[in-house]
Amino acid sequence: MPQPDGSVRLYLQKPGVPTQTEAGAIGRDGRAVLDIGVMSLDAGAAARLLRAFRTPSARAAIVAQGIDLYREICCALGSQSTLGHYVKTARSSRSLLDEGALASLFAALRPIPLNVQVLPECSFLHFGSTSQLIASGLELVTQDHGAPPSTTILGINNELQDNGIVQGREAWVEGCRLLAPLRLLRRTVVVGVDVLEPLDLPAGACLDVSSGLDRAQRKVCFVRCCGVDDTFKWSLAEGATFCGQPLAKWLSAAGAPETTIWDDDTPAAERTLWNAKMFPAEEEPQAFRRWLWMFDIAGATQEQKARFRAADRYSSAEIALRVDQTAFHARRACLRAAAR
């Protein structure tokens, strides 16, 4: 909602048309300004932002719930922003921070001036979900080359040796070492995997292997199998899915009660795939093959299901904190060097 001088009155996070109309965000031409997520901060704004998150309550909020740039930060900005608007907008965007934490953040962030520069034209590619990696990635390549690519397999920073090859279509393959064929069907994502023997994955499969530390501070590899269309924000009640089918149905088939997937104090409305302890930790990266049955729970054996129930499992929320960022970047640097 820019003013003639470029200043912003209010920042609205994913508002519906009625909310935009009420706030006067829709112009006479029927259009509204959409931010494209490109932001810059001067020294003063950066310093205020850092100070806002140095308090004990802010630090605790980051660890416990996470802080969203748009929801908890941008919604506090704007010349007409109020605490009531901030809390209402943050709550509608599923902020889990309590009123005291939100009030504290608002007081610290509110003085930061917010300005916007409206571009005469631009295109927007969304990378907000797993499936959009493929669709937006292919569109980006098309725009860059001026024509659709000859292959719909997007290979990013991979090392191919010996018989390493990727077969399939509509796929995103990133940070992998390929010494043997990787055979994919369609709409597949593979990240951080060493393919030492031929590997076949079903349509819509996502496989990610990343190193980190388990709860005992031992080095492990987190194995994440999921579906390309799984939404990590939906709760069970909202129809959360896992590996392409309802999460509740998958858990029932695996014989895994909710009490083993979420902490007892996690409300039903917040039981999502993001905080579900679904992903096992293994000592060796090649152990990911022990979990490929998760893509087909109907064909899983009782032994496999029992192994899942007994496994040391982690949620994506916890993995985000336990993953070894140094190892991640070192691996990417090695792969990039080998590809030259």
Side-chain angles (χ1 to χ4, degrees):
M1 302 173 61
Q3 298 295 87
D5 63 355
S7 63
V8 175
R9 291 192 294 115
L10 285 175
Y11 187 95
L12 306 176
Q13 171 65 350
K14 297 183 178 178
V17 173
T19 301
Q20 295 182 57
T21 302
E22 180 183 357
I26 301 178
R28 294 180 179 179
D29 59 0
R31 299 189 299 173
V33 174
L34 171 70
D35 91 81
I36 58 173
V38 178
M39 302 183 183
S40 63
L41 288 81
D42 64 15
R48 279 188 175 274
L49 195 61
L50 289 173
R51 285 197 296 268
F53 292 98
R54 288 183 64 182
T55 65
S57 60
R59 287 175 177 271
I62 293 174
V63 173
Q65 309 293 351
I67 297 295
D68 185 272
L69 172 64
Y70 305 102
R71 183 181 61 207
E72 276 95 10
I73 296 178
C74 290
C75 289
L77 310 180
S79 61
Q80 295 181 7
S81 181
T82 64
L83 178 58
H85 163 80
Y86 177 57
V87 172
K88 179 181 178 181
T89 305
R91 285 281 178 262
S92 66
S93 299
R94 298 187 176 186
S95 175
L96 300 178
L97 302 188
D98 60 39
E99 301 261 339
L102 288 173
S104 176
L105 284 178
F106 179 77
L109 298 172
R110 174 65 179 78
I112 299 176
L114 178 62
N115 298 281
V116 64
Q117 181 177 1
V118 180
L119 301 177
E121 65 175 283
C122 71
S123 58
F124 185 81
L125 296 175
H126 205 293
F127 288 87
S129 67
T130 308
S131 61
Q132 289 168 339
L133 283 176
I134 303 171
S136 294
L138 289 172
E139 178 60 27
L140 186 62
V141 173
T142 299
Q143 291 183 12
D144 188 46
H145 292 277
S150 59
T151 176
T152 56
I153 298 175
L154 293 162
I156 299 95
N157 201 18
N158 300 304
E159 177 186 351
L160 278 69
Q161 298 182 20
D162 302 330
N163 296 318
I165 188 174
V166 182
Q167 300 171 331
R169 60 192 179 96
E170 297 175 48
W172 178 285
V173 182
E174 177 189 354
C176 295
R177 287 191 177 93
L178 304 169
L179 281 71
L182 173 60
R183 294 185 285 258
L184 312 173
L185 292 180
R186 60 183 298 271
R187 302 185 69 236
T188 313
V189 175
V190 186
V191 178
V193 178
D194 290 341
V195 183
L196 307 184
E197 299 176 0
L199 175 62
D200 295 76
L201 293 178
C206 298
L207 172 63
D208 166 65
V209 178
S210 52
S211 60
L213 299 176
D214 67 7
R215 299 182 187 101
Q217 301 303 304
R218 296 171 300 199
K219 291 184 178 181
V220 294
C221 293
F222 299 110
V223 179
R224 284 186 282 190
C225 299
C226 62
V228 71
D229 292 315
D230 292 342
T231 300
F232 283 69
K233 294 181 179 180
W234 290 355
S235 67
L236 282 178
E238 293 172 316
T241 62
F242 181 64
C243 290
Q245 65 176 282
L247 176 55
K249 182 179 178 181
W250 195 100
L251 293 175
S252 176
E258 291 184 29
T259 53
T260 65
I261 303 299
W262 292 278
D263 297 331
D264 292 339
D265 59 354
T266 303
E270 297 172 12
R271 296 192 170 192
T272 66
L273 189 55
W274 173 248
N275 55 27
K277 288 179 276 193
M278 298 292 293
F279 307 110
E282 290 280 4
E283 293 183 0
E284 300 295 334
Q286 284 302 299
F288 75 85
R289 293 178 182 269
R290 287 161 38 98
W291 302 101
L292 298 181
W293 60 266
M294 296 176 74
F295 294 120
D296 179 25
I297 186 63
T301 66
Q302 292 302 317
E303 180 183 357
Q304 288 170 329
K305 295 175 184 179
R307 184 187 304 147
F308 172 80
R309 294 191 297 269
D312 182 27
R313 290 176 279 106
Y314 296 76
S315 67
S316 282
E318 191 172 5
I319 291 173
L321 299 175
R322 294 188 172 279
V323 73
D324 187 336
Q325 295 290 345
T326 300
F328 175 89
H329 291 293
R331 175 185 173 89
R332 293 304 193 274
C334 288
L335 291 174
R336 191 177 300 113
R340 289 177 179 173

